[in-house]
Structure formats: structure tokens, C-alpha cells
Amino acid sequence: KQEVTQIPAALSVPEGENLVLNCSFTDSAIYNLQWFRQDPGKGLTSLLLIQSSQREQTSGRLNASLDKSSGRSTLYIAASQPGDSATYLCAVRPTGGFKTIFGAGTRLFVKA
Amino acid sequence: GAVVSQHPSRVICKSGTSVKIECRSLDFQATTMFWYRQFPKQSLMLMATSNEGSKATYEQGVEKDKFLINHASLTLSTLTVTSAHPEDSSFYICSARVGQGIHEQYFGPGTRLTVT
């Protein structure tokens, strides 16, 4: 059974700091891995989608890596801003299934 | 990009009444739609999966007679919470996908249900 774990559960950093969010999954048989952002009381915003054949994806100040063999992904946020404060969710699509499995998320707070 | 909408965004209802939540794919045809539930400070839990024109597949522990799902067209799925109770208060999120395999899922903005 696929399980997705995110560490840390919460993180508070000063503005301008570079930071890394971690995601691990137990079964390497995945189609893709996706990082989402969720603001309080809001839905999900897709940040980056990495297919199983890819190693990383970049969008602006965000970089996501995928190491399928070790069951790990990281989301790197450069030069963090207060507007980055949100919950970041990691989700995997297992191969042979259609259910997306979500991690519990990392709550990020960037202090001005 | 693909857009999924939900209506209403917030709803408050009295215990014992039924509430319908709509999920629409605005610029694509969704062969599969998913309904998730999220409790405060917790992750999303899949409730059910529906394919257009067929019955929904419910996850273990989800009461199908309480959470009625209809996927009548390729752009619309509805979730009806019947005889709502305060413990049904939650954030409900739908998502939609074209086809199988590697196709990306697109998520709606969510509906906050409060049962008084």
C-alpha cells in the first residue's frame, strides 16, 4: 500500500531564506508526483508535476526533484517571500491505479 | 490551463437536510472525476471515483447512500450529502481528469460545508 510522508509538518522561516520541503513514498511504482499549494480554506493549486521518467521540474523560484528509486522528492523554494506562506502537499499517482495519494502536507510560514 | 469549478464555495445547512455540490470541468471533458474530503489540518482523503455514465466507486468506509455521486456528463459531477449531520461538516474538493494513465488531475477550489 502506497504511503506518502511529508517532513517537516510545519516550518517557519525568515523572508529571503532558501528552503527545502521533503516528501517520501513507500512504493516506487508511480506514474508521477505532484506538488500542490493550498491556502487556508482554499482549494489546491498545482505547482509542479514530475513524470516518473523525469528527475526534476522548475517553475520560477520553485524546483522539484524526484528520486524514484529511493522514494523521495524535494521541493526547493528559493528566496522565500511572505506570500509563499501556505500548506504544501505532495501527491503520487501509483502505476496501475488511478488514485492519487496525498501526504499530510507541510505548513510553511515565511516571516516578513 | 484546465479549470475545474465547484459550486457553492460555502454552504451552511441544518442537520437532517440534504446538500448538493456541483463540480464542473470548464474547458475540457473529464472522463473521470474524484471527490475528496479534508478535515482541518489534515490531508485530502479520497471518497469516491466516478466515470461518466457509470456508478461511482466508493472508498472503504464511505457510505454510498449518504454521499450520492452522479456523473451525468463529461463536464459535470455532483455530490449530494443526504441527511447531513454536524460530523459531515468538512471541506469537499473535486478533481477531474481526461483519460487514464499519466494524465494530470485538475482540482476544484473546494466547498466548505457546515452543518448546524
Side-chain angles (χ1 to χ4, degrees):
Chain A
K1 178 185 174 184
Q2 178 74 269
E3 293 182 359
V4 181
T5 304
Q6 290 187 246
I7 295 173
L11 181 63
S12 180
V13 301
E15 182 177 8
E17 191 163 298
N18 301 325
L19 58 100
V20 175
L21 307 181
N22 297 291
C23 172
S24 62
F25 47 97
T26 55
D27 189 340
S28 61
I30 63 171
Y31 271 132
N32 58 46
L33 182 145
Q34 198 163 359
W35 284 93
F36 294 89
R37 169 185 173 141
Q38 185 176 31
D39 293 286
K42 303 292 185 182
L44 275 64
T45 300
S46 178
L47 298 174
L48 291 164
L49 171 70
I50 311 176
Q51 301 293 355
S52 63
S53 59
Q54 298 174 325
R55 298 283 293 182
E56 67 177 347
Q57 284 286 332
T58 299
S59 176
R61 295 183 293 109
L62 305 179
N63 176 277
S65 68
L66 174 63
D67 184 343
K68 205 170 63 166
S69 61
S70 67
R72 293 180 182 177
S73 175
T74 61
L75 179 66
Y76 175 82
I77 302 177
S80 59
Q81 303 170 358
D84 295 331
S85 299
T87 296
Y88 291 80
L89 294 166
C90 166
V92 300
R93 280 278 312 283
T95 307
F98 48 77
K99 304 176 187 178
T100 298
I101 311 297
F102 283 85
T106 294
R107 293 191 302 282
L108 173 65
F109 179 63
V110 181
K111 298 172 287 188
Chain B
V3 178
V4 176
S5 70
Q6 279 185 243
H7 178 79
S9 57
R10 290 178 177 272
V11 58
I12 300 173
C13 70
K14 292 186 177 181
S15 186
T17 62
S18 294
V19 175
K20 179 184 285 188
I21 303 170
E22 292 186 349
C23 175
R24 294 182 184 273
S25 57
L26 298 185
D27 50 3
F28 67 100
Q29 293 186 324
T31 53
T32 305
M33 286 187 168
F34 306 85
W35 286 95
Y36 294 84
R37 183 174 182 177
Q38 186 179 34
F39 291 104
K41 296 185 179 181
Q42 294 187 26
S43 192
L44 279 71
M45 299 299 297
L46 181 65
M47 299 174 65
T49 303
S50 71
N51 292 296
E52 186 263 339
S54 61
K55 290 184 178 180
T57 301
Y58 291 81
E59 294 300 299
Q60 189 173 9
V62 178
E63 300 175 60
K64 60 182 180 181
D65 294 331
K66 180 169 188 60
F67 298 100
L68 302 179
I69 292 173
N70 183 283
H71 192 165
S73 76
L74 286 171
T75 59
L76 173 64
S77 176
T78 60
L79 168 67
T80 302
V81 183
T82 62
S83 187
H85 290 282
E87 57 264 33
D88 297 326
S89 299
S90 189
F91 194 55
Y92 293 88
I93 300 178
C94 75
S95 76
R97 192 182 70 212
V98 177
Q100 303 296 324
I102 65 171
H103 294 282
E104 187 173 352
Q105 271 180 252
Y106 301 96
F107 287 80
T111 296
R112 172 72 60 193
L113 170 63
T114 302
V115 184
T116 60

